[in-house]
């Protein structure tokens, strides 16, 4: 139970903000390739009159949850306190979470959905970046 105590919420929030910033850059650069891999147009994704901020709100909440659990799991796996988390520890735990859960789950879902491999690579690459960026922020601040 001690792993749930002493959460550095500033580290969690800044890790989430940093990964959102990464997403803005990632999809700004790869946006056209992502849309082509998805097989949709901008209009299909955001029909006129639809709340265009909702995906960003959901993403922000999900990023907060991911950062929180990355901090918790790094402390538990590395058997350390929040103050003793090292950058490399958090990045390694994040990379393992990406490979063991995020990427495998995405591959599974995309395979059943008949999605293009390029979509899996673009989204999976972003999520690896998320885990690395969040690991660095948590390692620096937690």
């Amino acid at each position: 139970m001690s792993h749930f105590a002493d959460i550095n919420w500033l580290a969690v929030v800044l890790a989430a903000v940093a990964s959102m910033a990464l997403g803005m850059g990632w999809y700004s650069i790869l946006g056209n390739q992502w849309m082509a891999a998805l097989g949709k147009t901008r209009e299909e994704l955001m029909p006129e009159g639809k709340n265009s901020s909702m995906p960003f709100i959901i993403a922000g909440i999900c990023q907060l949850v991911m950062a929180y659990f990355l901090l918790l799991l790094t402390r538990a796996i590395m058997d350390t306190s929040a103050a003793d988390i090292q950058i490399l520890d958090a990045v390694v735990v994040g990379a393992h979470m990406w490979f063991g859960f995020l990427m495998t789950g995405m591959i599974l879902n995309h395979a059943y959905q008949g999605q293009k491999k390029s979509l899996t690579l673009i989204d999976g690459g972003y999520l690896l970046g998320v885990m690395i960026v969040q690991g660095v922020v948590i390692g620096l601040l937690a």
Side-chain angles (χ1 to χ4, degrees):
M1 249 353 216
S2 65
H3 289 294
F4 293 103
D6 301 323
I7 297 297
N8 183 335
W9 291 106
L10 178 62
V12 170
V13 169
L14 291 178
V17 168
S19 58
M20 291 288 292
L22 173 68
M24 287 172 33
W26 185 267
Y27 289 103
S28 290
I29 293 168
L30 297 173
N32 290 334
Q33 294 90 331
W34 179 78
M35 299 270 290
L38 191 59
K40 294 192 177 211
T41 65
R42 291 187 196 282
E43 293 74 28
E44 289 174 312
L45 290 176
M46 284 296 157
E48 193 173 317
K50 187 174 179 187
N51 184 353
S52 62
S53 63
M54 190 52 68
F56 298 101
I57 293 167
I58 292 168
I61 293 167
C62 289
Q63 296 291 2
L64 283 168
V65 171
M66 291 169 72
Y68 172 76
F69 278 98
L70 179 56
L71 189 150
L72 283 183
L73 290 171
T74 300
R75 287 179 9 185
I77 291 168
M78 297 303 180
D79 194 29
T80 187
S81 69
D84 294 330
I85 292 176
Q86 302 295 312
I87 293 171
L88 184 60
D89 292 341
V91 169
V92 166
V93 170
H96 279 85
M97 287 172 47
W98 171 81
F99 187 72
F101 299 103
L102 296 170
M103 197 62 186
T104 54
M106 187 181 314
I107 290 169
L108 175 72
N109 286 334
H110 284 186
Y112 277 106
Q113 295 166 359
Q115 297 289 350
K116 295 179 182 176
K117 288 182 181 86
S118 56
L119 180 64
T120 305
L121 291 174
I122 292 168
D123 288 342
Y126 166 64
L127 288 172
L128 176 59
V130 165
M131 292 287 90
I132 291 170
V133 166
Q134 287 189 358
V136 168
V137 172
I138 288 169
L140 284 171
L141 300 177

